[in-house]
Amino acid sequence: MAETESPDIAEPVSPGVAMKSGAQPADPHSLLKHSREFLDFFWDIAKPEKETRLEATEKLLQYLRTRPEGPEMKYTLKRLITGLGVGKEIARLCYRLALAQLLQSFEDIPLCSVLQQIEDNYDLLKVKKAMVRHALFAHLFGVLALFQSGRLVKDSEALMKSVKLLQALARYSNHMQDATMKALVDIVSEVPEAMWEGILPKVVQADLNSVFASPEHLELYLLAHQKVPAKLEELMGSVDLFTDENIPRLVTVLKMAAPSVKKARKLPAVALALLRLALEEDKFPRFWKEVVEQGVLTKQFSPTSYLCFHLLGVALPLLSTEQLQLVMQGELIRHYGEHVVTTKPKNQFKFAPEMNEYVGTFLEGCRDDPERQLTMMVAFTSITNQGLPITPTYWRGVRHLSAPALKGYVAWLRDMFLQPNLDSLVDFSTSNQKKTQDASLHRPERAVFRLRKWVILRLVSIMDNLPPMEKEVSLIEEVARFCFFHSFFETKKPTSQIPETEQQFSFPVDGRSREMVSSAFFSLLQTISTQFKQALDKTQDQQSWTYHLVQFADMLLKHNHNVALLTPLTTKQRQTWNRMLQTLRELEAHSSEAKATAFQHLLLLVGIHLFKSPTESCDLLSDIQTCIQKSLGEQTRRTRSKTATPEEPPWVEVLVEILLALLAQPSHMMRLVSRSVFSHICAHLTPRALQLILDVLKPEQSQDEDDNVVVMDDSEQQQEDEDKSSGSEDDKNSGSEDESDNESEEEDRDGDVDPIFREQLMAVLQAGRAPGGEDDDDDEELGDEAMMALDESLASLFAEQKLRIQARRNEKNKLQKEKVLRRDFQIRVLDLIEVLVTKQPKNPLVLELLEPLLNIIRCSMRTSSTKQEQDLLHKTARIFKFHLCCSRHYCNTVDNFVETLYSRVERLVQQAGRQADSSISHYYFNASFYLLRVLKGNTSLKSTCEKAGTDTSSKPNDPKEAQATSCFDLSRVTPAYASALTSFLSKRNSPLTIAMFSSLFYRHPMLCKSLLPVVVEHVTGQTRSYHQTQACLLLQKTLPVQKLRRCFEDPEWEQLMGQILAKVTENLRTLGEAQTKSDQLKDQSSLELLSTLFRIINHEKLSVDLTSVRDVLQSREQKLQQRLQEGETLTGSSRLHNLYWHAMRILGVQRPKWAKKKSREIPSATQNPVSMKRKKKGFLPETKKRKKRKLEGTTQEDGKPAATGRNQPPGTGKKRKRRKNAKVAAEAQVNGMPAAKHPAPKPPTMSPSTPAKTRKLRKKKKKLSQVNGATPVSPTGPAAEKPHQELPTKEGSGKPSQSELLQHKVSKSCLASRSPGLFPRVAKKKKANWKRWIPL
């Protein structure tokens, strides 16, 4: 719609833009034709949101393309140029971008005319002094807009004018000088060479001093030297920037450009241009040494340091091999190393991540030049702090290396480990390290140890972090042999057959270095042995890496004249080793079998550990070899005689026992080995082998042991009590130690003493008083000899007691340690369970894990006090929940033990109802769900399929067909779940919950159909209110499920709805009489269930009689109203009233206004008047204070109309007219007239909002009457006595009544008297939303 607004009204102009002359639009009459939409574009362009700005700019351009020659184009140019000088910075940027896009889209607009308009609007000579800054920014942003359009460098005239304008702006202030010079550099850098002849004298002066005036001037000179060197030489002559006179000037200019580096995180363009010039003129060494390292670089970490670091990173791809060595061995790289080491806090800027990016980019860019890659890697690794490289061992820069460069780098690392060359390193010490007086920190031995430790860890890390395709066989074997040899062997005489012996150590290797190399070797062994089945970890002869290491170790043992073991093997250990090799050769003949592969892998790993721990590994190897020989011998005898010997256990059971023995060792390597081997044999697992694992996890035995520990704790506490009491006596007599005093004080509080120790103590005391007899006076003192004898007796008694206490304390600690080891062992054994469930989910043995895992969870929840027990609980629960119950695959062959599964389901459901905690019961219920899924997913091969007569290969969609084609027998499981459901709905403290049965009903709708009568029965009757509430909630969650609906025929479903409705109606007969919280919750849940029933009935159009429900609800209205007026309400009464009137509204009875007000005022009825007083906070005028609305109870009782809006005090609401109309409607209802029959107000006297509101109200009531089949009546009017009709059925609702016809006519007359423009779209949306059902 057109708007007659001026530009000032459309957008207020900032004070910074207002010129002295106050320029007026050129064509004010044409501006009146601009639409509101067009003027809003300029508002949106200045908004800070990026998406809004871009969208508004695009729409403005589309709008102008349709009117290229209209007055809108002139107005747009003027608005955008005016916006260049507004006060807000973000608005200036937005208008500049919009102007640039406009000039780019419409190339017929001359740039010179735009520059002229900018100069006319912002004349620097005529503008006020306060507006000079805005005018300067308008000129600058105008030139930048021309440059961003891409047309400025093509128009020579506009380019020259722009350069002159920028040079003129640079004379005003310092900040404008920097901005204009940067803009000039950006523009000149894009100028083609053909236009440089005319612009060169303008941007570059002949004086060399002006070139070094600022970084921008020097950058302009370097741009000219790059674009037109001949013209520049004609202008300035031959100039050498790297002379002794100019180098200090270059340093000064670079220091001026340095502050922007740290903030912008990039190298200034002038520094990069100088670097390119130095490389071009072959003066890079002088530039680097004198300008960078000796000039710009400072000792403190200032912005100049970061400029040098950026310059180093950018220069790497541009340098040759010799130049790289010069750069990576200078003072700058040592300064960088000190920066990396000393910059520790997180809030400090650290350049290491950016330098790693620079080096990674360099290595990736020169893959075709291995020499440069190797030079860079060696130089970057050589930056050390007292022998320790600053690069972390896990640095992944090697992933960019080519194969030759990687081999050369590994060879350099091995050489540095054997013969460290400290002189070739760029070593440094921090200031704090230099101040240290300890001479041991500066010795070369310490630096060599630090370097060797880093090198060996770096070799292992390279093997771990390389991509799989880059792991060459020779390289992995070389590193593994190197680590293994220097872990356990030493060279006696070099030989060419063993390359590891050809190089000797320049520095001797101590024990710490050997242990560190051994640890690194087993870390590498873990990587290459746990993935022995992968093709990438296999050698060319299809043998694992561990096998090759064993062959290498055997070769070293045979060359005893050249090499020697650091820990020589005994004769028995050497025999065990040779026997292991013989067993490996025997296993090679059976390499195709799974058990042979598992045995071989296990032998290899345990054999490697023989060099680390000879004694333990020797015994373990003997056991493994014995088991292997028995296994192979059993197979041989079976092939000969074809008879099995029952005395010998199967090989898988023996191997499981060995794996359990390995898991008992506190070695992470053995844990991984056992897990890997078990993953290969779990497919051959037998019930006996599984029972061996479950015996370890059996919680009953562990619980008994825990109980024993508790008993010992109690006895020890009693012994401690005795010791403390005796310590107290001894302190009174002979003055014992402070520890005994503390124990006696604690024991005095505890009270009880061991009776045996008490008797012994009393016997000693009586023996000491024996010479005097019992008749002696108490005041008679003992003699010195008697006293000494008594002291000795007491001392010996307490010494014995102290020894007993210490022994029991040691026993307690031992039991606690055993308990910790047992828990840790169980956690490790759970790895085997996890492997079985993950690798073999279809194995029938998996079903045997349910109850053992549940027992662990149940027992762990009782005693999960320590972190270890919590870890056991969490891991067991994770395996049970995610790997077992939530697995997509399950056992498909259960025909042989179907009866066992049914009995197990029944037992699990019964145990779920006997638990003390709902969380434990939840696990048992989920276990029963898993078994039901197994039964339901297995196809029956017996008479069930024959009776069904269906094809078992097709997947049935009907739940009844799915039940018929599976092993799932509904009659077998229904009694168990019915019993659990009955217990849940009748037992006071049942561990079962609604969520469990909701999940059961959703998963198995046919079972839900069988259990629904149990739930319906408990909706009402003699059960408690709490259980009735639970039954209503369960029905509310179950009935809307579509799977359940498909299990019922239409007559059955309609009959079920009628039964539930009758039960709910019986519950509602006591609505409003609740005296407790549980009764009120029962009423609330009944109303919620009633709403759910109404929704189902209306949706499916069921023919259910609602007359009785309506009569019951209407009969309880007076009771609810009476309790509301008397203030006898509980918490949640407002919710109850809302649910009641929601149900009444569906039945066709509208909620009166007084009921709404009463429900909102329910909290105030029970509130203490004293609590309504509020503290004064500040001062508020009386007209602004909120005043309470008067209750309308008295007016309704007297039958008088409520007070109108003019009689109310001021400030009671925001919209008085709307409230007045609402009160008129309320008055009509109080007088007994239906709201729809109230005469409509006349058009001249009604408010604009009143007709729409009353129309919507009538439309809503009309819609309700059409849906419900009854006219909307007031509950207090005479129409309430008429019987209501039923909800519409599938056949229809019959003929309309007279009230409906009258209401329809009134609505039509009201609609005809109004114009279509008074019906907004919002009313239609509200009308559509009214039709929807909102679930409660």
Side-chain angles (χ1 to χ4, degrees):
M1 186 175 64
E3 296 283 350
T4 58
E5 293 185 3
S6 64
D8 297 334
I9 298 176
E11 179 181 10
V13 181
S14 174
V17 183
M19 298 292 106
K20 181 178 180 181
S21 56
Q24 296 295 329
D27 191 7
H29 299 287
S30 63
L31 295 181
L32 300 178
K33 301 178 182 179
H34 295 319
S35 65
R36 178 75 265 172
E37 180 184 4
F38 173 69
L39 296 177
D40 286 342
F41 290 153
F42 302 100
W43 283 95
D44 295 339
I45 288 175
K47 289 183 178 179
E49 293 81 8
K50 182 179 179 181
E51 293 77 8
T52 306
R53 299 198 310 262
L54 296 178
E55 183 180 2
T57 304
E58 183 64 26
K59 290 182 178 180
L60 176 62
L61 296 178
Q62 293 178 1
Y63 184 86
L64 294 176
R65 289 190 185 100
T66 58
R67 303 170 179 81
E69 298 180 357
E72 290 85 355
M73 181 64 72
K74 296 180 181 179
Y75 181 73
T76 301
L77 280 174
K78 184 171 182 62
R79 285 292 299 268
L80 295 181
I81 291 173
T82 304
L84 296 175
V86 296
K88 295 182 179 180
E89 180 180 0
I90 185 65
R92 292 198 299 264
L93 297 174
C94 300
Y95 281 117
R96 184 191 75 183
L97 179 61
L99 180 59
Q101 294 185 3
L102 177 66
L103 297 177
Q104 184 180 4
S105 301
F106 298 93
E107 297 185 356
D108 54 342
I109 301 176
L111 300 183
C112 294
S113 64
V114 177
L115 283 174
Q116 187 63 38
Q117 291 185 36
I118 294 174
E119 293 179 359
D120 294 342
N121 287 353
Y122 301 98
D123 193 350
L124 297 175
L125 300 177
K126 298 180 180 180
V127 72
K128 293 182 179 180
K129 184 177 180 180
M131 305 302 163
V132 172
R133 184 175 181 273
H134 300 288
L136 292 174
F137 276 113
H139 284 85
L140 175 61
F141 281 27
V143 175
L144 291 177
L146 300 182
F147 173 64
Q148 288 180 349
S149 66
R151 297 172 51 191
L152 184 61
V153 295
K154 302 176 184 179
D155 192 342
S156 58
E157 182 181 358
L159 179 61
M160 295 301 295
K161 288 185 177 180
S162 300
V163 170
K164 291 180 181 179
L165 180 58
L166 290 176
Q167 291 178 347
L169 295 176
R171 294 191 291 269
Y172 276 88
S173 59
N174 293 333
H175 68 278
M176 287 302 300
Q177 183 179 3
D178 297 338
T180 52
M181 288 305 300
K182 290 179 181 179
L184 184 59
V185 170
D186 294 339
I187 294 173
V188 172
S189 62
E190 301 292 335
V191 173
E193 297 182 3
M195 301 179 63
W196 265 95
E197 297 182 3
I199 199 176
L200 181 60
K202 301 294 183 181
V203 298
V204 179
Q205 300 180 9
D207 186 11
L208 189 61
N209 295 327
S210 62
V211 174
F212 296 105
S214 66
E216 288 78 14
H217 287 86
L218 181 58
E219 189 174 356
L220 288 173
Y221 170 81
L222 295 175
L223 283 173
H225 186 275
Q226 180 184 359
K227 298 287 186 180
V228 284
K231 298 295 181 180
L232 182 63
E233 187 174 358
E234 293 178 3
L235 179 63
M236 301 186 62
S238 179
V239 178
D240 185 7
L241 296 180
F242 301 102
T243 60
D244 296 339
E245 181 183 358
N246 293 334
I247 283 180
R249 296 183 177 183
L250 290 177
V251 172
T252 305
V253 173
L254 290 178
K255 287 184 177 181
M256 293 171 59
S260 63
V261 178
K262 188 173 180 180
K263 183 178 179 180
R265 299 289 181 91
K266 64 180 181 179
L267 183 68
V270 61
L272 181 58
L274 279 175
L275 174 64
R276 294 182 183 275
L277 181 63
L279 292 172
E280 181 182 350
E281 296 182 356
D282 199 13
K283 296 181 179 180
F284 176 76
R286 184 172 188 180
F287 166 74
W288 194 259
K289 288 290 184 182
E290 299 182 11
V291 177
V292 179
E293 294 186 347
Q294 300 177 6
V296 181
L297 183 63
T298 57
K299 295 298 180 182
Q300 296 79 15
F301 298 116
S302 61
T304 56
S305 300
Y306 300 119
L307 184 142
C308 296
F309 296 157
H310 277 286
L311 187 61
L312 172 63
V314 173
L316 292 178
L318 307 175
L319 304 180
S320 61
T321 304
E322 295 78 9
Q323 292 170 345
L324 277 175
Q325 294 177 354
L326 171 67
V327 169
M328 299 301 294
Q329 292 181 355
E331 188 65 28
L332 176 60
I333 202 66
R334 184 176 284 105
H335 190 71
Y336 167 74
E338 188 176 355
H339 160 74
V340 173
V341 174
T342 56
T343 308
K344 295 296 183 182
K346 297 181 180 180
N347 55 356
Q348 293 186 8
F349 175 73
K350 199 170 186 177
F351 193 76
E354 297 183 37
M355 182 59 73
N356 291 336
E357 274 187 44
Y358 281 126
V359 176
T361 304
F362 167 77
L363 295 174
E364 189 176 5
C366 58
R367 282 181 177 269
D368 300 335
D369 193 352
E371 183 180 359
R372 294 182 67 198
Q373 282 189 334
L374 180 58
T375 302
M376 186 62 204
M377 288 298 300
V378 171
F380 203 66
T381 308
S382 300
I383 311 170
T384 59
N385 175 30
Q386 293 185 350
L388 180 64
I390 64 171
T391 307
T393 57
Y394 54 85
W395 182 50
R396 303 185 63 185
V398 292
R399 68 183 185 274
H400 303 299
L401 294 181
S402 59
L406 181 60
K407 290 182 178 180
Y409 182 58
V410 171
W412 179 83
L413 289 174
R414 287 191 291 107
D415 294 341
M416 291 299 292
F417 180 83
L418 297 172
Q419 298 177 352
N421 187 6
L422 300 180
D423 296 333
S424 63
L425 303 176
V426 184
D427 197 76
F428 65 91
S429 298
T430 62
S431 58
N432 293 334
Q433 291 173 348
K434 293 176 182 178
K435 297 176 183 179
T436 305
Q437 302 297 329
D438 191 358
S440 62
L441 299 178
H442 303 282
R443 291 186 303 179
E445 291 80 4
R446 180 175 179 268
V448 169
F449 174 77
R450 287 158 62 92
L451 179 61
R452 282 176 174 171
K453 181 179 179 181
W454 186 92
V455 167
I456 199 68
L457 294 178
R458 181 63 174 153
L459 285 173
V460 176
S461 178
I462 288 175
M463 298 299 104
D464 293 341
N465 295 329
L466 273 181
M469 299 305 297
E470 307 232 352
K471 289 184 178 179
E472 297 188 0
V473 174
S474 59
L475 188 61
I476 297 177
E477 186 175 2
E478 179 183 349
V479 174
R481 285 166 57 114
F482 179 82
C483 295
F484 177 75
F485 179 82
H486 294 291
S487 297
F488 308 110
F489 293 87
E490 60 181 356
T491 304
K492 295 170 60 176
K493 183 180 178 180
T495 177
S496 59
Q497 298 180 0
I498 305 176
E500 287 76 14
T501 62
E502 295 180 352
Q503 284 185 328
Q504 300 293 329
F505 287 100
S506 60
F507 284 86
V509 183
D510 55 356
R512 292 190 306 164
S513 300
R514 295 285 187 182
E515 293 178 1
M516 175 259 301
V517 177
S518 175
S519 177
F521 166 73
F522 282 104
S523 177
L524 177 62
L525 183 63
Q526 174 181 336
T527 303
I528 64 178
S529 62
T530 53
Q531 302 173 357
F532 66 96
K533 288 199 66 177
Q534 296 185 6
L536 292 174
D537 292 333
K538 288 279 186 115
T539 55
Q540 296 179 357
D541 55 354
Q542 298 299 320
Q543 292 293 344
S544 62
W545 296 112
T546 316
Y547 181 83
H548 280 269
L549 289 175
V550 170
Q551 296 295 330
F552 177 66
D554 186 58
M555 182 190 66
L556 293 177
L557 291 175
K558 291 179 181 179
H559 288 77
N560 52 1
H561 297 289
N562 301 102
V563 297
L565 269 171
L566 296 175
T567 305
L569 298 178
T570 62
T571 304
K572 180 181 178 182
Q573 294 169 357
R574 187 62 184 269
Q575 291 176 357
T576 305
W577 173 264
N578 296 332
R579 187 183 174 189
M580 183 200 71
L581 295 178
Q582 179 64 27
T583 307
L584 287 176
R585 286 190 291 269
E586 294 177 1
L587 288 174
E588 289 181 1
H590 306 83
S591 58
S592 60
E593 300 179 8
K595 69 173 184 178
T597 305
F599 277 131
Q600 183 182 11
H601 183 50
L602 189 59
L603 272 177
L604 291 173
L605 291 174
V606 178
I608 287 292
H609 279 77
L610 182 65
F611 298 96
K612 182 180 180 182
S613 54
T615 305
E616 295 82 358
S617 300
C618 181
D619 298 337
L620 191 58
L621 274 176
S622 300
D623 296 338
I624 295 175
Q625 291 167 7
T626 304
C627 295
I628 293 176
Q629 289 179 358
K630 290 183 178 180
S631 175
L632 295 178
E634 177 186 356
Q635 184 178 6
T636 305
R637 287 192 298 272
R638 286 181 180 178
T639 56
R640 292 179 180 178
S641 62
K642 297 183 181 180
T643 59
T645 57
E647 294 81 7
E648 296 181 358
W651 65 271
V652 67
E653 298 179 10
V654 178
L655 191 55
V656 166
E657 291 181 353
I658 296 174
L659 293 180
L660 292 176
L662 292 177
L663 286 174
Q665 300 181 9
S667 172
H668 184 65
M669 181 68 184
M670 289 299 181
R671 184 177 182 179
L672 294 178
V673 170
S674 303
R675 184 184 180 99
S676 178
V677 173
F678 187 77
S679 64
H680 290 80
I681 67 171
C682 60
H684 307 275
L685 205 64
T686 61
R688 171 61 183 166
L690 179 61
Q691 189 61 38
L692 292 175
I693 301 175
L694 296 179
D695 289 341
V696 178
L697 301 173
K698 189 178 296 183
E700 287 79 11
Q701 181 179 359
S702 302
Q703 187 66 30
D704 296 339
E705 295 176 357
D706 295 342
D707 296 339
N708 294 333
V709 172
V710 172
V711 172
M712 293 301 295
D713 290 342
D714 293 339
S715 61
E716 289 175 11
Q717 181 65 30
Q718 294 177 1
Q719 297 296 332
E720 290 176 4
D721 294 342
E722 298 172 2
D723 183 36
K724 293 171 185 178
S725 178
S726 60
S728 177
E729 294 287 336
D730 189 62
D731 177 68
K732 295 178 181 178
N733 295 295
S734 60
S736 62
E737 298 177 352
D738 296 338
E739 181 179 0
S740 300
D741 296 339
N742 296 333
E743 292 178 354
S744 63
E745 292 176 1
E746 294 177 359
E747 190 53 37
D748 291 338
R749 293 192 300 267
D750 295 338
D752 295 335
V753 181
D754 186 9
I756 299 177
F757 178 69
R758 183 190 294 273
E759 292 177 0
Q760 294 177 357
L761 181 60
M762 295 300 296
V764 170
L765 293 176
Q766 289 178 2
R769 296 175 58 87
E774 296 180 358
D775 297 333
D776 295 340
D777 297 333
D778 295 339
D779 296 337
E780 181 180 358
E781 296 182 0
L782 296 176
D784 294 340
E785 295 180 0
M787 184 65 71
M788 292 298 293
L790 182 60
D791 290 343
E792 290 178 1
S793 301
L794 290 174
S796 61
L797 178 62
F798 280 104
E800 292 176 1
Q801 180 67 13
K802 186 174 183 181
L803 291 177
R804 286 194 296 268
I805 291 176
Q806 186 63 34
R808 288 172 181 146
R809 193 170 297 168
N810 295 337
E811 185 68 19
K812 175 185 176 182
N813 295 335
K814 181 181 177 180
L815 292 175
Q816 291 293 337
K817 290 179 181 179
E818 291 179 357
K819 181 180 178 181
V820 171
L821 292 176
R822 185 170 58 252
R823 289 287 182 264
D824 185 66
F825 181 47
Q826 290 176 345
I827 293 175
R828 290 169 178 266
V829 173
L830 281 176
D831 291 348
L832 305 183
I833 301 296
E834 185 176 3
V835 170
L836 176 62
V837 174
T838 306
K839 298 290 184 180
Q840 298 290 326
K842 297 183 178 181
N843 196 328
L845 294 177
V846 174
L847 301 176
E848 304 296 329
L849 300 175
L850 288 174
E851 292 180 323
L853 292 179
L854 289 172
N855 291 335
I856 296 174
I857 294 173
R858 176 176 54 83
C859 296
S860 299
M861 280 190 175
R862 296 177 181 176
T863 60
S864 58
S865 57
T866 63
K867 183 180 183 302
Q868 197 177 34
E869 293 176 347
Q870 292 178 1
D871 294 340
L872 176 65
L873 172 62
H874 293 164
K875 186 170 184 178
T876 308
R878 177 173 56 83
I879 294 174
F880 178 82
K881 183 177 181 181
F882 297 104
H883 297 289
L884 185 59
C885 293
C886 296
S887 178
R888 295 184 178 180
H889 305 283
Y890 47 87
C891 181
N892 295 325
T893 55
V894 297
D895 291 331
N896 299 328
F897 46 91
V898 173
E899 298 297 329
T900 305
L901 292 183
Y902 280 118
S903 60
R904 191 173 298 175
V905 169
E906 183 178 357
R907 184 167 61 252
L908 288 173
V909 174
Q910 291 176 358
Q911 291 177 355
R914 297 170 185 171
Q915 302 303 319
D917 192 358
S918 297
S919 58
I920 304 178
S921 179
H922 175 73
Y923 284 101
Y924 280 88
F925 229 70
N926 283 343
S928 67
F929 292 166
Y930 176 76
L931 293 181
L932 289 181
R933 187 174 63 154
V934 172
L935 289 171
K936 195 173 182 180
N938 279 267
T939 303
S940 178
L941 300 179
K942 298 181 180 180
S943 60
T944 306
C945 294
E946 297 175 0
K947 292 180 181 180
T950 58
D951 186 9
T952 58
S953 61
S954 61
K955 185 177 180 181
N957 296 325
D958 192 1
K960 298 180 180 179
E961 297 179 3
Q963 178 188 351
T965 58
S966 65
C967 296
F968 181 64
D969 188 1
L970 186 63
S971 60
R972 298 291 301 274
V973 298
T974 302
Y977 285 103
S979 176
L981 184 59
T982 304
S983 174
F984 167 65
L985 295 176
S986 59
K987 189 176 179 181
R988 182 180 295 273
N989 295 322
S990 176
L992 305 177
T993 60
I994 292 180
M996 299 179 188
F997 289 101
S998 298
S999 180
L1000 173 67
F1001 292 166
Y1002 181 79
R1003 295 168 188 259
H1004 306 282
M1006 293 300 297
L1007 184 59
C1008 174
K1009 179 181 178 181
S1010 303
L1011 297 178
L1012 273 180
V1014 180
V1015 185
V1016 176
E1017 181 183 357
H1018 287 82
V1019 172
T1020 183
Q1022 301 299 325
T1023 58
R1024 301 182 183 91
S1025 300
Y1026 172 77
H1027 294 120
Q1028 294 178 8
T1029 303
Q1030 297 294 96
C1032 292
L1033 293 177
L1034 187 57
L1035 285 175
Q1036 184 183 350
K1037 293 178 179 294
T1038 305
L1039 293 179
V1041 178
Q1042 294 297 325
K1043 294 181 180 180
L1044 176 64
R1045 178 62 183 90
R1046 289 194 292 268
C1047 298
F1048 284 86
E1049 300 293 340
D1050 290 344
E1052 295 178 350
W1053 183 253
E1054 190 170 342
Q1055 182 181 2
L1056 178 64
M1057 294 298 104
Q1059 293 176 359
I1060 300 175
L1061 188 63
K1063 293 287 185 179
V1064 175
T1065 305
E1066 185 177 352
N1067 270 353
L1068 294 177
R1069 296 184 184 279
T1070 59
L1071 182 63
E1073 299 178 359
Q1075 300 295 333
T1076 61
K1077 182 66 177 179
S1078 59
D1079 294 339
Q1080 187 174 3
L1081 289 176
K1082 183 195 71 173
D1083 296 342
Q1084 181 176 335
S1085 61
S1086 300
L1087 289 174
E1088 291 175 351
L1089 178 58
L1090 182 64
S1091 300
T1092 303
L1093 293 174
F1094 285 165
R1095 180 179 60 182
I1096 296 175
I1097 292 172
N1098 289 335
H1099 178 70
E1100 301 185 12
K1101 299 181 180 179
L1102 303 178
S1103 57
V1104 179
D1105 186 13
L1106 302 178
T1107 307
S1108 59
V1109 182
R1110 187 168 50 205
D1111 295 340
V1112 170
L1113 289 177
Q1114 286 183 346
S1115 64
R1116 307 309 301 173
E1117 180 185 355
Q1118 299 295 334
K1119 184 64 178 180
L1120 287 175
Q1121 179 182 353
Q1122 180 181 358
R1123 298 199 63 180
L1124 184 65
Q1125 292 177 356
E1126 295 176 357
E1128 299 178 1
T1129 55
L1130 300 173
T1131 305
S1133 299
S1134 178
R1135 170 71 173 167
L1136 183 65
H1137 283 75
N1138 291 336
L1139 289 172
Y1140 171 79
W1141 285 111
H1142 182 68
M1144 295 294 290
R1145 184 181 63 186
I1146 296 176
L1147 294 173
V1149 180
Q1150 292 298 320
R1151 185 176 187 176
K1153 297 295 181 179
W1154 60 265
K1156 294 182 180 180
K1157 293 181 180 180
K1158 285 290 184 181
S1159 63
R1160 286 195 295 266
E1161 295 173 359
I1162 285 176
S1164 63
T1166 59
Q1167 193 173 9
N1168 191 357
V1170 180
S1171 63
M1172 299 176 60
K1173 298 181 180 180
R1174 299 180 181 178
K1175 298 181 181 179
K1176 275 195 172 183
K1177 296 183 180 179
F1179 299 94
L1180 194 65
E1182 292 294 333
T1183 56
K1184 298 295 184 180
K1185 289 184 179 179
R1186 234 173 138 187
K1187 297 185 178 180
K1188 302 177 184 177
R1189 300 179 181 178
K1190 296 181 179 180
L1191 298 176
E1192 299 179 3
T1194 56
T1195 58
Q1196 293 168 358
E1197 292 176 359
D1198 299 339
K1200 298 179 181 180
T1204 58
R1206 60 187 179 183
N1207 296 330
Q1208 293 179 354
T1212 56
K1214 295 183 178 180
K1215 298 181 180 181
R1216 300 179 182 176
K1217 295 182 179 180
R1218 187 173 300 176
R1219 187 174 62 251
K1220 179 179 179 181
N1221 296 329
K1223 288 184 177 294
V1224 171
E1227 178 183 357
Q1229 291 184 358
V1230 169
N1231 294 332
M1233 297 176 61
K1237 296 182 180 182
H1238 194 274
K1242 297 181 180 180
T1245 61
M1246 65 183 177
S1247 173
S1249 62
T1250 304
K1253 183 172 181 180
T1254 55
R1255 177 181 61 84
K1256 287 189 293 182
L1257 185 60
R1258 286 195 300 272
K1259 293 289 287 181
K1260 290 179 182 178
K1261 295 182 178 181
K1262 176 183 176 182
K1263 186 65 180 178
L1264 286 174
S1265 63
Q1266 293 176 357
V1267 172
N1268 300 329
T1271 56
V1273 295
S1274 173
T1276 57
E1281 301 175 357
K1282 298 179 181 181
H1284 293 272
Q1285 299 180 3
E1286 298 180 0
L1287 290 175
T1289 61
K1290 296 182 180 179
E1291 292 78 5
S1293 58
K1295 297 182 180 180
S1297 60
Q1298 296 294 332
S1299 60
E1300 291 179 351
L1301 294 176
L1302 179 61
Q1303 181 181 2
H1304 184 62
K1305 291 181 181 180
V1306 172
S1307 301
K1308 272 193 171 183
S1309 62
C1310 294
L1311 292 173
S1313 63
R1314 295 166 188 166
S1315 60
L1318 295 177
F1319 298 94
R1321 296 182 180 179
V1322 180
K1324 295 182 179 179
K1325 292 182 180 179
K1326 291 183 178 179
K1327 177 182 178 182
N1329 292 336
W1330 175 259
K1331 298 178 182 179
R1332 300 178 184 175
W1333 175 262
I1334 302 176
L1336 297 174

